[in-house]
Amino acid sequence: MSNVVKFLETLGQNLEIVSDADFMDAVAAAPVDGDVRQALATRDPARLNMAVGHTCTVLSLLVPAEEEPQQEEETERDAPDEGETEARAA
């Protein structure tokens, strides 16, 4: 399986493989077995998953961050009112 991971990593980093022919050449040269090679050639992730002996599905979820309060609102609450400043001075 490490050969499959290395191949996929190399494939993701190689910007020269852009056409289908380039992809098929890379798959043909990959140091992987027949079932894995066929799954890669057909671009079938489920078949590749089974060929390397995994049966789990990985899901990812992106959740946007909560908005932070604006700086202006915090500054206004922390700053004393003009009337309070005058009363303290008197």
Side-chain angles (χ1 to χ4, degrees), residues 7 11 14-30 43:
F7 171 74
L11 186 66
N14 191 345
L15 299 177
E16 295 175 6
I17 300 177
V18 291
S19 69
D20 286 338
D22 292 337
F23 177 77
M24 292 307 292
D25 290 343
V27 169
R43 299 179 188 218

Side-chain angles (χ1 to χ4, degrees), residues 16-62:
E16 295 175 6
I17 300 177
V18 291
S19 69
D20 286 338
D22 292 337
F23 177 77
M24 292 307 292
D25 290 343
V27 169
V32 294
D33 295 334
D35 290 341
V36 173
R37 186 180 315 281
Q38 186 63 32
L40 289 169
T42 58
R43 299 179 188 218
D44 187 346
R47 185 173 178 183
L48 179 61
N49 195 25
M50 291 180 66
V52 295
H54 291 269
T55 57
C56 66
T57 302
V58 177
L59 302 173
S60 64
L61 176 67
L62 298 176

Side-chain angles (χ1 to χ4, degrees), residues 75-86:
T75 306
E76 290 175 8
R77 280 186 267 154
D78 295 339
D81 292 339
E82 287 181 27
E84 289 179 19
T85 307
E86 291 175 10

